[in-house]
């Protein structure tokens, strides 16, 4: 992942004591620019609403945020495009890349995600993209009730019935039959 010029950058120096509320909404193009050319995620972010509170304690920057997103992803059962809502809370800690400030760190490092930032700016884009990617289910479904495709003829069983001898029972018996033959 790369950060780009058109990104959400926070100037660390200007974060006030009470913290900085940062709210933004982004879409497809924003998410795509998080990836290098040729590196295509298998889903799209249609919309991402992000709100976060950014605070700073002696150079260490804490980001506490909330993401509400809608992604377009192919259903792993019926292969149709599905709109999937995602909601996530996240915490992110960034420490400056300056050796003299490192002894300030007495945080429970295991519990928090800790990264480094360089210079005075923190780019939120790769952080938010990473958080969205972490929320993507391994097997996305258009609906819990999705009937999927017929394994024999490929008909989308959500829309249509087919004439194939169907049901889980049959496919289990087919497996059993193969099993016997193999023995
Ligand atoms: Zn489906
Ligand atoms: Zn069929």
């Amino acid at each position: 992942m790369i950060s780009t010029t058109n990104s959400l950058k926070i100037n660390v120096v200007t974060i006030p004591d009470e913290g900085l509320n940062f709210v933004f909404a982004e879409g497809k193009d924003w998410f795509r620019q998080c990836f290098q050319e040729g590196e295509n995620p298998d889903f799209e972010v249609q919309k991402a609403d992000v709100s976060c509170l950014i605070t700073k304690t002696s150079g260490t920057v804490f980001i506490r945020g909330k993401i509400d997103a809608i992604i377009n992803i192919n259903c792993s059962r019926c292969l149709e495009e599905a709109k999937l809502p995602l909601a996530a809370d996240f915490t992110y800690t960034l420490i400056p890349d300056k050796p003299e400030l490192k002894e300030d760190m007495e945080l429970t490092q295991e519990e928090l995600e800790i990264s480094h930032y360089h210079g005075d700016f923190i780019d939120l884009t790769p952080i938010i993209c990473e958080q969205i990617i972490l929320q993507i289910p391994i097997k996305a479904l258009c609906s819990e009730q999705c009937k999927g495709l017929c394994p024999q003829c490929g008909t989308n069983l959500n829309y249509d019935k087919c004439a194939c001898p169907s049901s889980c029972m049959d496919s289990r018996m087919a497996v059993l039959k193969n099993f016997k033959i193999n023995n």
Side-chain angles (χ1 to χ4, degrees):
M1 288 219 280
I2 48 160
S3 56
T4 59
T5 46
N6 186 26
S7 51
L8 302 157
K9 289 203 171 123
I10 301 292
N11 186 337
V12 175
V13 179
T14 62
I15 297 173
D17 288 346
E18 67 272 21
L20 179 73
N21 262 309
F22 203 75
V23 178
F24 62 93
E26 293 285 354
K28 264 182 207 171
D29 296 339
W30 164 79
F31 188 72
R32 249 194 228 117
Q33 55 165 5
C34 293
F35 295 87
Q36 287 171 23
E37 223 168 302
E39 188 193 14
N40 289 315
D42 54 4
F43 64 93
E44 271 185 341
V45 170
Q46 193 175 62
K47 178 168 109 66
D49 288 312
V50 181
S51 76
C52 42
L53 177 67
I54 302 166
T55 52
K56 184 178 68 171
T57 310
S58 61
T60 302
V61 175
F62 302 93
I63 304 173
R64 228 184 307 267
K66 206 172 142 43
I67 303 173
D68 272 298
I70 296 182
I71 62 159
N72 296 333
I73 188 165
N74 290 339
C75 172
S76 62
R77 275 186 208 155
C78 69
L79 310 179
E80 298 269 315
E81 188 177 89
K83 282 191 203 327
L84 208 70
L86 294 181
D89 293 321
F90 67 94
T91 328
Y92 216 85
T93 305
L94 292 119
I95 55 173
D97 228 1
K98 292 174 194 155
E100 68 269 22
L101 285 174
K102 273 190 182 147
E103 59 252 40
D104 284 353
M105 292 294 303
E106 280 174 27
L107 293 162
T108 50
Q109 299 223 5
E110 312 84 60
E111 288 172 28
L112 296 164
E113 283 210 58
I114 295 179
S115 305
H116 294 265
Y117 67 91
H118 316 274
D120 290 335
F121 289 90
I122 291 175
D123 187 356
L124 289 180
T125 292
I127 294 172
I128 304 297
C129 284
E130 187 189 327
Q131 293 299 324
I132 291 175
I133 292 165
L134 286 172
Q135 297 301 317
I136 302 295
I138 296 164
K139 278 192 179 289
L141 294 179
C142 62
S143 113
E144 285 295 332
Q145 287 81 41
C146 176
K147 298 192 184 92
L149 303 177
C150 168
Q152 283 127 75
C153 72
T155 296
N156 185 336
L157 300 173
N158 295 312
Y159 303 138
D160 255 323
K161 283 191 178 127
C162 62
C164 302
S166 62
S167 93
C168 310
M169 218 31 224
D170 285 343
S171 56
R172 251 182 242 154
M173 285 180 39
V175 170
L176 210 61
K177 225 194 282 171
N178 289 338
F179 185 70
K180 278 178 186 159
I181 289 164
N182 290 341
N183 275 331

